[in-house]
Amino acid sequence: MKPQLHFFPSLDSTNDHLKDLIRQEKAQLWDIVWADYQSAGKGQRGNKWDSEDGENLLFSTWFKPHVLPVSQVFELNKRVSLAVRSVLVDRGVEGVSVKWPNDILVNGRKIAGVLIENNLDGDRVEHVVIGIGLNVNQVGLKDRLPNAISLREISGQKADRMELLNQLHQALQAHIHSSFWPTARIDATYLKYLYGFRQWRTYLHQDKELFGRITGISSQGLLQMNTDKGSMEFDLREIRFLPDQEN
């Protein structure tokens, strides 16, 4: 059956609502939950996703991987992030990069964020809920979030959010399922557009400054770096860009 669109003027969280539908067996594969406003939208590190009512895209969708061990789950982050990036590039946006683990930046300013939640069955992923927040028509973001930007602020024109939603939904399916995007190509493309890759920068680690450069991402999604203390790996809770580099 064709995926269904479930639209709501307001929700606590599109991810949470979709997970409820899945538990109640009221959601088909790749169904979309879209809200004009989220009162408890979630980002990485438990951050709240800040968005004006009716201006942006806040939606979730889901799928079941054929075989996906927990140890390889970061592969999904790469595919989803690159899918979002591809839609922006197709719309003529330049300077689009991916910030580990899954923010999308335009010339260093955040335009989108991804939150992936996995339902596990033993050591395998049973199903995946993908939440995406994309700044579309909101303006004045710099006054509230200095390192944020929207499509409208880039192009000067309002975008059709339904058209954009359809493009993103198709890109997600293509990047996740298409043989055109094998793992090796995903890995190489992710590193090619990874923000800060092979660039020496200052980070914050254990409340202290750490000078290093990103050299890769492990299969478990750990950030791999050469630092002034040697080669190191970090998870999301262990390393941060300094405030003037945050996005």
Side-chain angles (χ1 to χ4, degrees):
M1 295 180 67
K2 184 179 178 181
Q4 301 297 307
L5 173 62
H6 307 265
F7 174 77
F8 301 88
S10 178
L11 285 175
D12 290 346
S13 160
T14 58
N15 266 28
D16 287 349
H17 188 82
L18 181 52
K19 287 186 291 184
D20 286 342
L21 292 178
I22 295 169
R23 280 192 291 267
Q24 298 167 23
E25 298 184 348
K26 294 180 179 179
Q28 305 171 81
L29 292 177
W30 290 107
D31 273 7
I32 301 168
V33 172
W34 176 19
D36 262 348
Y37 178 76
Q38 287 187 124
S39 59
K42 297 176 289 186
Q44 293 294 340
R45 293 191 178 96
N47 293 332
K48 185 177 183 293
W49 183 263
D50 189 8
S51 176
E52 284 187 0
D53 189 357
E55 296 295 338
N56 303 313
L57 264 182
L58 310 167
F59 75 95
S60 300
T61 188
W62 76 298
F63 77 102
K64 289 186 176 183
H66 295 301
V67 178
L68 181 64
V70 174
S71 61
Q72 299 175 17
V73 74
F74 194 75
E75 176 80 10
L76 291 175
N77 292 59
K78 294 178 182 180
R79 290 176 178 270
V80 172
S81 297
L82 290 176
V84 177
R85 181 189 178 277
S86 72
V87 170
L88 294 173
V89 171
D90 286 347
R91 284 178 161 258
V93 180
E94 299 179 351
V96 187
S97 60
V98 179
K99 181 184 173 185
W100 174 85
N102 45 20
D103 283 344
I104 313 301
L105 313 181
V106 175
N107 296 319
R109 296 174 65 185
K110 183 172 178 176
I111 194 169
V114 175
L115 181 64
I116 297 176
E117 297 184 277
N118 304 294
N119 187 75
L120 307 181
D121 181 10
D123 62 351
R124 294 187 176 186
V125 178
E126 197 275 330
H127 70 252
V128 179
V129 173
I130 303 166
I132 294 176
L134 174 65
N135 298 328
V136 181
N137 291 323
Q138 188 169 342
V139 294
L141 278 165
K142 193 172 183 179
D143 296 333
R144 299 166 57 182
L145 302 167
N147 290 319
I149 197 168
S150 70
L151 271 176
R152 185 177 181 182
E153 290 175 323
I154 294 168
S155 69
Q157 299 179 337
K158 294 193 71 172
D160 184 321
R161 292 186 301 150
M162 179 62 77
E163 178 183 292
L164 191 55
L165 176 64
N166 288 332
Q167 290 176 336
L168 285 165
H169 195 241
Q170 292 171 13
L172 288 171
Q173 294 179 71
H175 278 70
I176 288 172
H177 290 316
S178 174
S179 59
F180 183 70
W181 289 97
T183 297
R185 182 177 182 185
I186 288 291
D187 291 346
T189 307
Y190 188 87
L191 290 180
K192 180 179 180 179
Y193 297 113
L194 182 62
Y195 184 69
F197 183 55
R198 292 181 177 169
Q199 298 174 0
W200 288 98
R201 292 175 174 269
T202 303
Y203 299 84
L204 192 64
H205 171 57
Q206 296 179 343
D207 297 324
K208 296 180 180 179
E209 291 187 1
L210 179 71
F211 193 57
R213 64 172 185 167
I214 300 170
T215 58
I217 308 293
S218 75
S219 59
Q220 291 78 34
L222 298 178
L223 187 69
Q224 299 171 325
M225 297 181 67
N226 284 338
T227 76
D228 49 8
K229 297 180 180 179
S231 297
M232 303 177 74
E233 291 186 337
F234 304 96
D235 69 19
L236 182 63
R237 297 175 295 276
E238 295 176 324
I239 191 82
R240 291 186 69 104
F241 284 82
L242 284 177
D244 64 336
Q245 300 179 42
E246 274 285 10
N247 292 280

